[in-house]
Amino acid sequence: MTSRFERVAGYGVLILFAIISLTPVVGILSSAFGSQSSLDTGFSLPDGLNRGNFADAWTRGHFGSYLANSVLVTVVVVAVTSLLAVLAAYAFGVMRFPGSTLLFYLFVLGLTLPQEALVVPLYFDLRHWGLTDTYWALILPQTAQSLAFGVFWMRTYFRGNPRAVIDAARIDGASSWATLWRILVPMGRPAISTMVVIVFMWTWNEFLLALVMVSDEAHRTVPLGLAFFQGQHSSDTALLAAASVLIALPVVIVYVLLQRRFIEGMLSGSVKE
């Protein structure tokens, strides 16, 4: 049983780190609601809540079309990655077939390959097939990159499940397909939610791939649009901060909605074999 001093010290450390973590957030929000054309980058509170900064940044930066592009790419990447990761991880984690270990390590190898080493040859391959400056140039590579993590994460979950549950389902006559979708997937919602949140954040914040694969404004995503917006309004910290808040808001909303399952998935998915 912990003593009162240990509890107070523990809460003190947590409060300290919370203050350190929230200080940049407060600074960004303070700048976003401040007056435009201000060079002050400090964390002082604004004189008034200038909510017009968000509307101004949205209009000037054309973030409406960029947001639509990011939503399209992110939703497709998350959906395809989640489906393929669950199917592949079930095969690697539950089923037994020749070469399963070798194929799994080929998937894991994708986690060790830096994107910077692949983006140039990937660009020439996609240009050869006429896919640059299209949504496919953003969807296909990001799906392949996220799939390596998804398979690794979900395989860990499937291997951590009690084998008795799977054996009982098979004794009752359930097929492999029914065992996956009616038993393991409902039980694994926290792990799947964690994977969805992580892949969503990776895809939403992807910058390098969009910078290389997309040259026309019609297919820009929000991180790329923010970079161009920053170049045009580098001296207006209020507009830049407002644009940053607009771009980060969808990630915050997704995390808040899936926060409980995300934490449960992090705890359950951390079980080692």
Short mmCIF file of all heavy atoms in Angstrom, two decimals, residues 109-160:
data_model
loop_
_atom_site.label_atom_id
_atom_site.label_comp_id
_atom_site.label_asym_id
_atom_site.label_seq_id
_atom_site.Cartn_x
_atom_site.Cartn_y
_atom_site.Cartn_z
N LEU A 109 9.42 -6.88 -42.10
CA LEU A 109 10.53 -6.17 -42.73
C LEU A 109 10.12 -4.79 -43.21
O LEU A 109 10.93 -3.87 -43.26
CB LEU A 109 11.08 -7.00 -43.90
CG LEU A 109 12.33 -6.47 -44.61
CD1 LEU A 109 13.52 -6.44 -43.65
CD2 LEU A 109 12.65 -7.34 -45.82
N GLY A 110 8.84 -4.65 -43.56
CA GLY A 110 8.36 -3.34 -43.99
C GLY A 110 8.45 -2.27 -42.92
O GLY A 110 8.51 -1.08 -43.23
N LEU A 111 8.47 -2.68 -41.65
CA LEU A 111 8.61 -1.70 -40.56
C LEU A 111 10.01 -1.13 -40.47
O LEU A 111 10.21 -0.06 -39.88
CB LEU A 111 8.25 -2.35 -39.22
CG LEU A 111 6.79 -2.79 -39.04
CD1 LEU A 111 6.64 -3.58 -37.74
CD2 LEU A 111 5.87 -1.59 -39.04
N THR A 112 11.00 -1.81 -41.02
CA THR A 112 12.39 -1.38 -40.91
C THR A 112 12.84 -0.53 -42.09
O THR A 112 13.92 0.03 -42.04
CB THR A 112 13.31 -2.61 -40.80
OG1 THR A 112 13.25 -3.36 -42.03
CG2 THR A 112 12.87 -3.51 -39.65
N LEU A 113 12.03 -0.44 -43.14
CA LEU A 113 12.43 0.29 -44.34
C LEU A 113 12.03 1.75 -44.21
O LEU A 113 10.85 2.07 -44.07
CB LEU A 113 11.78 -0.31 -45.58
CG LEU A 113 12.12 -1.77 -45.88
CD1 LEU A 113 11.34 -2.27 -47.09
CD2 LEU A 113 13.62 -1.94 -46.12
N PRO A 114 12.99 2.68 -44.23
CA PRO A 114 12.64 4.11 -44.12
C PRO A 114 11.96 4.61 -45.37
O PRO A 114 12.31 4.22 -46.50
CB PRO A 114 14.01 4.78 -43.91
CG PRO A 114 14.99 3.85 -44.55
CD PRO A 114 14.45 2.47 -44.35
N GLN A 115 10.99 5.45 -45.18
CA GLN A 115 10.24 5.99 -46.31
C GLN A 115 11.13 6.79 -47.25
O GLN A 115 10.92 6.78 -48.48
CB GLN A 115 9.10 6.86 -45.80
CG GLN A 115 8.16 7.36 -46.88
CD GLN A 115 7.12 8.30 -46.36
OE1 GLN A 115 7.45 9.40 -45.93
NE2 GLN A 115 5.87 7.88 -46.36
N GLU A 116 12.11 7.48 -46.68
CA GLU A 116 13.00 8.31 -47.51
C GLU A 116 13.77 7.48 -48.53
O GLU A 116 14.15 7.98 -49.60
CB GLU A 116 13.99 9.07 -46.63
CG GLU A 116 13.34 10.14 -45.75
CD GLU A 116 12.66 9.55 -44.53
OE1 GLU A 116 12.83 8.33 -44.31
OE2 GLU A 116 11.98 10.29 -43.81
N ALA A 117 14.04 6.22 -48.22
CA ALA A 117 14.78 5.35 -49.14
C ALA A 117 13.89 4.78 -50.24
O ALA A 117 14.41 4.27 -51.25
CB ALA A 117 15.45 4.21 -48.36
N LEU A 118 12.59 4.84 -50.06
CA LEU A 118 11.66 4.23 -51.01
C LEU A 118 10.92 5.22 -51.89
O LEU A 118 10.40 4.85 -52.94
CB LEU A 118 10.63 3.38 -50.26
CG LEU A 118 11.16 2.25 -49.38
CD1 LEU A 118 10.01 1.61 -48.62
CD2 LEU A 118 11.90 1.21 -50.20
N VAL A 119 10.86 6.48 -51.45
CA VAL A 119 9.96 7.42 -52.12
C VAL A 119 10.40 7.73 -53.54
O VAL A 119 9.54 7.87 -54.44
CB VAL A 119 9.83 8.71 -51.27
CG1 VAL A 119 11.14 9.47 -51.22
CG2 VAL A 119 8.71 9.58 -51.81
N VAL A 120 11.71 7.80 -53.81
CA VAL A 120 12.17 8.13 -55.17
C VAL A 120 11.90 6.98 -56.14
O VAL A 120 11.28 7.20 -57.19
CB VAL A 120 13.66 8.52 -55.15
CG1 VAL A 120 14.16 8.71 -56.58
CG2 VAL A 120 13.86 9.80 -54.35
N PRO A 121 12.35 5.75 -55.88
CA PRO A 121 11.99 4.67 -56.82
C PRO A 121 10.49 4.45 -56.91
O PRO A 121 9.97 4.09 -57.98
CB PRO A 121 12.70 3.44 -56.23
CG PRO A 121 13.01 3.78 -54.83
CD PRO A 121 13.22 5.25 -54.80
N LEU A 122 9.77 4.68 -55.80
CA LEU A 122 8.32 4.54 -55.84
C LEU A 122 7.70 5.58 -56.76
O LEU A 122 6.74 5.28 -57.50
CB LEU A 122 7.76 4.69 -54.43
CG LEU A 122 6.27 4.45 -54.24
CD1 LEU A 122 5.90 3.04 -54.64
CD2 LEU A 122 5.86 4.72 -52.80
N TYR A 123 8.26 6.78 -56.77
CA TYR A 123 7.74 7.82 -57.66
C TYR A 123 7.89 7.43 -59.13
O TYR A 123 6.95 7.59 -59.92
CB TYR A 123 8.48 9.14 -57.39
CG TYR A 123 8.21 10.19 -58.44
CD1 TYR A 123 7.02 10.92 -58.42
CD2 TYR A 123 9.13 10.45 -59.45
CE1 TYR A 123 6.76 11.89 -59.38
CE2 TYR A 123 8.88 11.41 -60.41
CZ TYR A 123 7.70 12.13 -60.38
OH TYR A 123 7.44 13.07 -61.33
N PHE A 124 9.05 6.90 -59.50
CA PHE A 124 9.26 6.52 -60.89
C PHE A 124 8.37 5.34 -61.28
O PHE A 124 7.89 5.27 -62.42
CB PHE A 124 10.74 6.16 -61.12
CG PHE A 124 11.64 7.36 -61.18
CD1 PHE A 124 12.47 7.68 -60.12
CD2 PHE A 124 11.64 8.19 -62.29
CE1 PHE A 124 13.29 8.79 -60.17
CE2 PHE A 124 12.46 9.31 -62.35
CZ PHE A 124 13.29 9.61 -61.29
N ASP A 125 8.13 4.41 -60.35
CA ASP A 125 7.23 3.30 -60.65
C ASP A 125 5.81 3.79 -60.88
O ASP A 125 5.15 3.38 -61.84
CB ASP A 125 7.25 2.28 -59.50
CG ASP A 125 8.54 1.49 -59.45
OD1 ASP A 125 9.24 1.44 -60.48
OD2 ASP A 125 8.86 0.94 -58.38
N LEU A 126 5.34 4.66 -60.01
CA LEU A 126 3.98 5.16 -60.16
C LEU A 126 3.85 6.07 -61.37
O LEU A 126 2.79 6.09 -62.03
CB LEU A 126 3.56 5.91 -58.89
CG LEU A 126 3.41 5.05 -57.63
CD1 LEU A 126 3.05 5.91 -56.43
CD2 LEU A 126 2.37 3.96 -57.83
N ARG A 127 4.89 6.82 -61.69
CA ARG A 127 4.84 7.65 -62.89
C ARG A 127 4.79 6.80 -64.14
O ARG A 127 4.12 7.15 -65.13
CB ARG A 127 6.07 8.58 -62.94
CG ARG A 127 5.96 9.65 -64.03
CD ARG A 127 7.18 10.54 -64.06
NE ARG A 127 8.37 9.82 -64.51
CZ ARG A 127 9.55 10.40 -64.77
NH1 ARG A 127 9.68 11.71 -64.59
NH2 ARG A 127 10.57 9.68 -65.17
N HIS A 128 5.50 5.65 -64.13
CA HIS A 128 5.47 4.73 -65.27
C HIS A 128 4.06 4.22 -65.52
O HIS A 128 3.66 4.03 -66.69
CB HIS A 128 6.42 3.56 -65.01
CG HIS A 128 6.34 2.48 -66.06
ND1 HIS A 128 6.88 2.63 -67.32
CD2 HIS A 128 5.77 1.23 -66.02
CE1 HIS A 128 6.66 1.54 -68.03
NE2 HIS A 128 5.99 0.67 -67.26
N TRP A 129 3.30 3.99 -64.45
CA TRP A 129 1.93 3.51 -64.59
C TRP A 129 0.92 4.64 -64.69
O TRP A 129 -0.29 4.39 -64.74
CB TRP A 129 1.57 2.60 -63.42
CG TRP A 129 2.36 1.33 -63.40
CD1 TRP A 129 3.44 1.03 -62.62
CD2 TRP A 129 2.15 0.19 -64.24
NE1 TRP A 129 3.91 -0.22 -62.89
CE2 TRP A 129 3.14 -0.77 -63.89
CE3 TRP A 129 1.22 -0.13 -65.23
CZ2 TRP A 129 3.21 -2.01 -64.51
CZ3 TRP A 129 1.30 -1.37 -65.85
CH2 TRP A 129 2.28 -2.30 -65.49
N GLY A 130 1.39 5.87 -64.73
CA GLY A 130 0.50 7.01 -64.88
C GLY A 130 -0.36 7.29 -63.66
O GLY A 130 -1.49 7.80 -63.79
N LEU A 131 0.16 7.01 -62.47
CA LEU A 131 -0.61 7.16 -61.25
C LEU A 131 -0.23 8.40 -60.44
O LEU A 131 -0.89 8.68 -59.43
CB LEU A 131 -0.45 5.92 -60.36
CG LEU A 131 -1.01 4.62 -60.93
CD1 LEU A 131 -0.74 3.47 -59.99
CD2 LEU A 131 -2.51 4.75 -61.21
N THR A 132 0.83 9.09 -60.83
CA THR A 132 1.18 10.31 -60.10
C THR A 132 0.11 11.37 -60.35
O THR A 132 -0.56 11.37 -61.38
CB THR A 132 2.55 10.85 -60.55
OG1 THR A 132 2.56 10.98 -61.97
CG2 THR A 132 3.66 9.89 -60.12
N ASP A 133 -0.02 12.28 -59.39
CA ASP A 133 -1.06 13.30 -59.43
C ASP A 133 -2.46 12.68 -59.44
O ASP A 133 -3.40 13.22 -60.05
CB ASP A 133 -0.89 14.24 -60.63
CG ASP A 133 0.25 15.20 -60.44
OD1 ASP A 133 0.52 15.59 -59.30
OD2 ASP A 133 0.90 15.54 -61.46
N THR A 134 -2.59 11.54 -58.78
CA THR A 134 -3.90 10.91 -58.58
C THR A 134 -4.02 10.51 -57.11
O THR A 134 -3.02 10.47 -56.38
CB THR A 134 -4.08 9.68 -59.47
OG1 THR A 134 -3.14 8.67 -59.08
CG2 THR A 134 -3.89 10.02 -60.94
N TYR A 135 -5.22 10.17 -56.70
CA TYR A 135 -5.42 9.70 -55.33
C TYR A 135 -4.73 8.35 -55.10
O TYR A 135 -4.32 8.06 -53.98
CB TYR A 135 -6.91 9.58 -55.02
CG TYR A 135 -7.62 10.90 -54.96
CD1 TYR A 135 -8.66 11.20 -55.84
CD2 TYR A 135 -7.27 11.87 -54.02
CE1 TYR A 135 -9.32 12.41 -55.79
CE2 TYR A 135 -7.92 13.08 -53.95
CZ TYR A 135 -8.95 13.35 -54.84
OH TYR A 135 -9.60 14.57 -54.79
N TRP A 136 -4.61 7.56 -56.15
CA TRP A 136 -3.97 6.25 -56.01
C TRP A 136 -2.51 6.38 -55.62
O TRP A 136 -1.97 5.51 -54.93
CB TRP A 136 -4.10 5.44 -57.29
CG TRP A 136 -5.50 5.04 -57.61
CD1 TRP A 136 -6.26 5.49 -58.65
CD2 TRP A 136 -6.33 4.15 -56.86
NE1 TRP A 136 -7.51 4.92 -58.60
CE2 TRP A 136 -7.57 4.08 -57.51
CE3 TRP A 136 -6.13 3.39 -55.71
CZ2 TRP A 136 -8.62 3.29 -57.04
CZ3 TRP A 136 -7.17 2.60 -55.24
CH2 TRP A 136 -8.39 2.55 -55.90
N ALA A 137 -1.86 7.45 -56.04
CA ALA A 137 -0.46 7.66 -55.67
C ALA A 137 -0.30 7.92 -54.18
O ALA A 137 0.81 7.75 -53.63
CB ALA A 137 0.12 8.84 -56.46
N LEU A 138 -1.36 8.31 -53.51
CA LEU A 138 -1.33 8.52 -52.07
C LEU A 138 -1.90 7.33 -51.31
O LEU A 138 -1.43 7.00 -50.22
CB LEU A 138 -2.14 9.77 -51.71
CG LEU A 138 -1.67 11.08 -52.35
CD1 LEU A 138 -2.64 12.21 -52.00
CD2 LEU A 138 -0.27 11.44 -51.90
N ILE A 139 -2.90 6.66 -51.88
CA ILE A 139 -3.58 5.57 -51.20
C ILE A 139 -2.75 4.29 -51.20
O ILE A 139 -2.54 3.67 -50.14
CB ILE A 139 -4.96 5.32 -51.84
CG1 ILE A 139 -5.88 6.51 -51.59
CG2 ILE A 139 -5.57 4.04 -51.29
CD1 ILE A 139 -7.21 6.43 -52.31
N LEU A 140 -2.24 3.89 -52.36
CA LEU A 140 -1.55 2.60 -52.46
C LEU A 140 -0.27 2.55 -51.62
O LEU A 140 -0.08 1.59 -50.85
CB LEU A 140 -1.25 2.30 -53.93
CG LEU A 140 -2.47 2.07 -54.82
CD1 LEU A 140 -2.03 1.83 -56.27
CD2 LEU A 140 -3.28 0.88 -54.32
N PRO A 141 0.65 3.52 -51.71
CA PRO A 141 1.86 3.44 -50.88
C PRO A 141 1.58 3.51 -49.39
O PRO A 141 2.21 2.78 -48.60
CB PRO A 141 2.69 4.65 -51.34
CG PRO A 141 2.16 4.99 -52.69
CD PRO A 141 0.71 4.68 -52.64
N GLN A 142 0.65 4.35 -48.98
CA GLN A 142 0.38 4.47 -47.55
C GLN A 142 -0.33 3.22 -47.01
O GLN A 142 -0.13 2.84 -45.84
CB GLN A 142 -0.47 5.72 -47.28
CG GLN A 142 0.28 7.00 -47.56
CD GLN A 142 -0.50 8.24 -47.15
OE1 GLN A 142 -0.54 8.61 -45.99
NE2 GLN A 142 -1.13 8.89 -48.11
N THR A 143 -1.14 2.58 -47.83
CA THR A 143 -1.75 1.32 -47.42
C THR A 143 -0.68 0.25 -47.22
O THR A 143 -0.70 -0.49 -46.23
CB THR A 143 -2.78 0.85 -48.46
OG1 THR A 143 -3.80 1.85 -48.62
CG2 THR A 143 -3.42 -0.46 -48.04
N ALA A 144 0.27 0.18 -48.16
CA ALA A 144 1.34 -0.81 -48.05
C ALA A 144 2.22 -0.55 -46.82
O ALA A 144 2.61 -1.48 -46.11
CB ALA A 144 2.19 -0.79 -49.32
N GLN A 145 2.50 0.73 -46.54
CA GLN A 145 3.33 1.05 -45.39
C GLN A 145 2.61 0.73 -44.07
O GLN A 145 3.21 0.22 -43.13
CB GLN A 145 3.71 2.53 -45.43
CG GLN A 145 4.65 2.90 -46.57
CD GLN A 145 4.88 4.39 -46.68
OE1 GLN A 145 4.35 5.16 -45.89
NE2 GLN A 145 5.65 4.81 -47.65
N SER A 146 1.33 1.04 -44.00
CA SER A 146 0.58 0.81 -42.77
C SER A 146 0.27 -0.66 -42.56
O SER A 146 0.06 -1.10 -41.43
CB SER A 146 -0.72 1.61 -42.80
OG SER A 146 -0.47 3.00 -42.95
N LEU A 147 0.23 -1.42 -43.64
CA LEU A 147 -0.13 -2.83 -43.53
C LEU A 147 0.89 -3.62 -42.73
O LEU A 147 0.53 -4.56 -42.01
CB LEU A 147 -0.30 -3.43 -44.92
CG LEU A 147 -0.94 -4.82 -44.99
CD1 LEU A 147 -2.33 -4.79 -44.37
CD2 LEU A 147 -1.03 -5.28 -46.45
N ALA A 148 2.17 -3.26 -42.84
CA ALA A 148 3.20 -3.96 -42.08
C ALA A 148 2.94 -3.83 -40.58
O ALA A 148 3.00 -4.82 -39.84
CB ALA A 148 4.58 -3.40 -42.43
N PHE A 149 2.64 -2.62 -40.12
CA PHE A 149 2.33 -2.43 -38.71
C PHE A 149 1.03 -3.12 -38.34
O PHE A 149 0.91 -3.75 -37.27
CB PHE A 149 2.24 -0.94 -38.38
CG PHE A 149 1.58 -0.66 -37.06
CD1 PHE A 149 2.27 -0.85 -35.87
CD2 PHE A 149 0.25 -0.23 -37.01
CE1 PHE A 149 1.66 -0.60 -34.65
CE2 PHE A 149 -0.36 0.02 -35.79
CZ PHE A 149 0.35 -0.16 -34.61
N GLY A 150 0.02 -3.00 -39.19
CA GLY A 150 -1.28 -3.59 -38.88
C GLY A 150 -1.21 -5.09 -38.71
O GLY A 150 -1.82 -5.65 -37.79
N VAL A 151 -0.48 -5.77 -39.58
CA VAL A 151 -0.35 -7.22 -39.48
C VAL A 151 0.40 -7.59 -38.21
O VAL A 151 0.02 -8.53 -37.49
CB VAL A 151 0.36 -7.78 -40.73
CG1 VAL A 151 0.69 -9.26 -40.55
CG2 VAL A 151 -0.51 -7.58 -41.96
N PHE A 152 1.48 -6.88 -37.91
CA PHE A 152 2.25 -7.16 -36.70
C PHE A 152 1.40 -6.96 -35.45
O PHE A 152 1.41 -7.78 -34.52
CB PHE A 152 3.49 -6.27 -36.66
CG PHE A 152 4.28 -6.38 -35.39
CD1 PHE A 152 5.14 -7.44 -35.18
CD2 PHE A 152 4.16 -5.42 -34.40
CE1 PHE A 152 5.87 -7.54 -34.00
CE2 PHE A 152 4.88 -5.51 -33.22
CZ PHE A 152 5.74 -6.59 -33.02
N TRP A 153 0.63 -5.86 -35.42
CA TRP A 153 -0.16 -5.53 -34.25
C TRP A 153 -1.29 -6.53 -34.03
O TRP A 153 -1.49 -7.05 -32.92
CB TRP A 153 -0.73 -4.12 -34.42
CG TRP A 153 -1.60 -3.67 -33.29
CD1 TRP A 153 -2.96 -3.73 -33.23
CD2 TRP A 153 -1.17 -3.09 -32.05
NE1 TRP A 153 -3.40 -3.21 -32.05
CE2 TRP A 153 -2.32 -2.82 -31.30
CE3 TRP A 153 0.07 -2.77 -31.53
CZ2 TRP A 153 -2.27 -2.25 -30.04
CZ3 TRP A 153 0.13 -2.20 -30.26
CH2 TRP A 153 -1.03 -1.94 -29.54
N MET A 154 -2.03 -6.83 -35.09
CA MET A 154 -3.16 -7.73 -34.96
C MET A 154 -2.72 -9.17 -34.74
O MET A 154 -3.42 -9.93 -34.06
CB MET A 154 -4.07 -7.62 -36.18
CG MET A 154 -4.77 -6.28 -36.32
SD MET A 154 -5.69 -5.79 -34.83
CE MET A 154 -6.82 -7.17 -34.64
N ARG A 155 -1.60 -9.59 -35.30
CA ARG A 155 -1.10 -10.94 -35.04
C ARG A 155 -0.78 -11.11 -33.56
O ARG A 155 -1.04 -12.16 -32.96
CB ARG A 155 0.14 -11.23 -35.88
CG ARG A 155 0.75 -12.61 -35.62
CD ARG A 155 2.00 -12.79 -36.46
NE ARG A 155 2.63 -14.08 -36.22
CZ ARG A 155 3.61 -14.30 -35.34
NH1 ARG A 155 4.03 -13.27 -34.59
NH2 ARG A 155 4.14 -15.49 -35.20
N THR A 156 -0.20 -10.08 -32.96
CA THR A 156 0.07 -10.14 -31.53
C THR A 156 -1.21 -10.33 -30.74
O THR A 156 -1.26 -11.09 -29.77
CB THR A 156 0.79 -8.86 -31.08
OG1 THR A 156 1.99 -8.69 -31.83
CG2 THR A 156 1.13 -8.91 -29.60
N TYR A 157 -2.28 -9.63 -31.17
CA TYR A 157 -3.56 -9.79 -30.47
C TYR A 157 -4.10 -11.21 -30.65
O TYR A 157 -4.53 -11.84 -29.67
CB TYR A 157 -4.57 -8.77 -31.00
CG TYR A 157 -6.00 -9.20 -30.76
CD1 TYR A 157 -6.54 -9.19 -29.48
CD2 TYR A 157 -6.79 -9.65 -31.82
CE1 TYR A 157 -7.84 -9.61 -29.25
CE2 TYR A 157 -8.09 -10.06 -31.59
CZ TYR A 157 -8.61 -10.05 -30.32
OH TYR A 157 -9.88 -10.47 -30.08
N PHE A 158 -4.11 -11.72 -31.88
CA PHE A 158 -4.64 -13.06 -32.12
C PHE A 158 -3.83 -14.13 -31.39
O PHE A 158 -4.40 -15.09 -30.88
CB PHE A 158 -4.66 -13.36 -33.63
CG PHE A 158 -5.72 -12.61 -34.38
CD1 PHE A 158 -5.41 -11.90 -35.53
CD2 PHE A 158 -7.03 -12.59 -33.93
CE1 PHE A 158 -6.37 -11.21 -36.23
CE2 PHE A 158 -8.01 -11.89 -34.61
CZ PHE A 158 -7.69 -11.20 -35.77
N ARG A 159 -2.52 -13.97 -31.34
CA ARG A 159 -1.69 -14.95 -30.63
C ARG A 159 -1.91 -14.87 -29.12
O ARG A 159 -1.67 -15.84 -28.40
CB ARG A 159 -0.21 -14.73 -30.95
CG ARG A 159 0.17 -15.02 -32.39
CD ARG A 159 0.11 -16.49 -32.70
NE ARG A 159 1.13 -17.23 -32.00
CZ ARG A 159 2.34 -17.48 -32.49
NH1 ARG A 159 2.69 -17.01 -33.67
NH2 ARG A 159 3.20 -18.19 -31.79
N GLY A 160 -2.34 -13.72 -28.62
CA GLY A 160 -2.57 -13.56 -27.20
C GLY A 160 -3.92 -14.06 -26.72
O GLY A 160 -4.17 -14.14 -25.51
#
